[in-house]
């Protein structure tokens, strides 16, 4: 057995093991939740980082009802620091329809006759079989035709709300947020993931922000479990679909 064949078998074996490990988690039992203490939100809540600038605070500000701090009676309770929590409102109702038709046809014909070329055709005809002639020495013809039709129709509707955490405050004041939510029903676990960058001034007084105000928004709504496994093709079939040319 050569090294190339051995490496190929090891790679295939590793792929099979990895695919099986993903399903072993919920084999005969519900899918496991992702540990909350291993997320980036938990890290942001534990360590808020060093402040970019130091503000002097008087001792009386802590007990005053009119101070501008978040803990005061009239303070701004919107999320603005690392580790703070805000609500992301996702309301997507979009429809798109695109269709196009293309048609192209072409025909061409070329004919070349050499009846008198220094007497060569007559001499050539003497050596050709009976009935053959070199008068029409070259004749070419071709035709091509192609038609194409394309249509895309998409309809999406999604209404969700998820609590996200500020995981970082960038030097320009933009807030990096990340949030996750998991819901398990019987043997199927639905998970919602959202991340992106928001401006502090876009957060409403209710401490909410809509998805259209999130830059580089990444929203994932899916799940894992026995039903999801049945809806996915087998790993071997996916590999064959990727490498087979037909």
């Amino acid at each position: 057995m050569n090294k190339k064949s051995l490496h190929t078998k090891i790679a295939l074996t590793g792929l099979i093991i990895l695919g099986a490990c993903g399903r072993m988690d919920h084999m005969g039992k519900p899918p496991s939740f992702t540990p909350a203490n291993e997320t980036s939100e938990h890290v942001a809540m534990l360590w808020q980082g060093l402040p970019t600038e130091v503000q002097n605070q008087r001792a009386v500000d802590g007990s005053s009802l009119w101070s501008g701090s978040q803990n005061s009676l009239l303070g701004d309770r919107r999320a603005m620091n690392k580790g703070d929590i805000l609500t992301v409102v996702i309301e997507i109702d979009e429809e798109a329809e695109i269709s196009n038709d293309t048609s192209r046809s072409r025909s061409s014909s070329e004919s070349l006759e050499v009846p008198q070329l220094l007497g060569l055709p007559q001499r050539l005809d003497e050596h050709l079989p009976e009935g053959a002639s070199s008068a029409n020495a070259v004749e070419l013809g071709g035709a091509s035709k192609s038609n194409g039709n394309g249509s895309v129709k998409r309809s999406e509707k999604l209404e969700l709300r998820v609590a996200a955490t500020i995981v970082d405050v960038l030097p320009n004041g933009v807030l990096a947020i990340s949030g996750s939510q998991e819901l398990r029903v019987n043997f199927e676990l639905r998970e919602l993931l959202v991340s992106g960058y928001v401006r502090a001034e876009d957060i409403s007084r209710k401490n909410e922000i809509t998805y259209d105000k999130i830059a580089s928004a990444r929203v994932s709504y899916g799940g894992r479990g026995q039903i999801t496994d049945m809806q996915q093709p087998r790993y071997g079939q996916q590999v064959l679909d990727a490498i087979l040319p037909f």
Side-chain angles (χ1 to χ4, degrees), residues 97-154:
E97 186 172 354
I98 302 173
S99 61
N100 56 67
D101 296 328
T102 59
S103 177
R104 184 183 65 177
S105 62
R106 180 180 63 182
S107 61
S108 62
S109 177
E110 299 289 342
S111 178
L112 177 62
E113 297 182 2
V114 286
Q116 301 294 334
L117 182 61
L118 302 177
L120 293 179
Q122 289 77 5
R123 293 181 177 275
L124 184 61
D125 291 342
E126 296 177 357
H127 301 283
L128 293 178
E130 183 178 358
S133 174
S134 61
N136 297 328
V138 179
E139 184 175 356
L140 302 175
S144 64
K145 185 177 182 181
S146 64
N147 294 314
N149 296 313
S151 179
V152 176
K153 187 174 182 181
R154 185 180 65 188

Side-chain angles (χ1 to χ4, degrees), residues 7 42 49 71 91 119 159 194 196 220-221 232 240:
H7 292 167
H42 185 255
N71 297 327
E91 294 180 354
E159 296 182 3
V194 60
S220 174
Y221 182 66
Q232 297 295 324
L240 292 178

Side-chain angles (χ1 to χ4, degrees), residues 17 48 65 204 236:
I17 294 175
Q48 297 184 353
L65 298 178
S204 67

Side-chain angles (χ1 to χ4, degrees), residues 204-216:
S204 67
R205 297 293 297 181
K206 294 182 179 180
N207 198 33
E208 296 179 349
I209 189 167
T210 55
Y211 82 100
D212 57 335
K213 293 182 175 63
I214 303 177
S216 298

